[in-house]
Amino acid sequence: MFSKEASRELKQLFWTSFGKSFPRKWILYNTKIKGVSFKFYFDTKKALVALDLEDDLENRITYWERLESLKSLLLNDFLPNAIFEDTYFLDNGKEISRIYVPYNHKVSIHNKDTWQEVMVFFNETMSAFEDFYMTYEDVIKP
């Protein structure tokens, strides 16, 4: 087991290493759409890349419908393993809508031996997500 401090330091080291290994400016929270953001997620059990809709229900529905209309394009041309969940609960209980791609291998942010494979997964998956977003931004945005 790791202390909270040791765990925090490992997480910080991972994200610093990722930034140095794959230096680029990601869109992430800069989608210019309120409540729509891209996220990297890595903990002691899983890694994933997500497009989250976290605004009020009305706006979530609006953007969800736009993204759903592009679902076959996303799956066929960019991310065939993307999962669409119109109702997704975060660990804190907050309800959002999420499109995500999980990394389907056993990994842990506490295990440095899995870091490189997760970094490569993050880079490739987020790049594809961003390419999709930039290609269809006019459809997704109001």
Side-chain angles (χ1 to χ4, degrees), residues 42 44-46 103-108 111 114 117-118:
F42 188 24
T44 58
K45 295 181 180 156
K46 64 185 175 198
Y103 187 59
N104 293 320
H105 298 277
K106 187 175 180 176
V107 293
S108 172
N111 181 355
T114 65
E117 65 186 281
V118 171

Side-chain angles (χ1 to χ4, degrees), residues 3-18:
S3 70
K4 285 185 179 184
E5 180 63 22
S7 179
R8 185 190 64 72
E9 288 174 6
L10 273 174
K11 289 176 184 177
Q12 184 176 358
L13 182 59
F14 171 81
W15 293 111
T16 301
S17 299
F18 176 61

Side-chain angles (χ1 to χ4, degrees), residues 107-119:
V107 293
S108 172
I109 199 161
H110 289 167
N111 181 355
K112 288 183 180 182
D113 293 339
T114 65
W115 285 11
Q116 186 61 37
E117 65 186 281
V118 171
M119 289 181 196

Side-chain angles (χ1 to χ4, degrees), residues 44 53 82-83 110 127:
T44 58
L53 306 177
I83 298 168
H110 289 167
S127 293

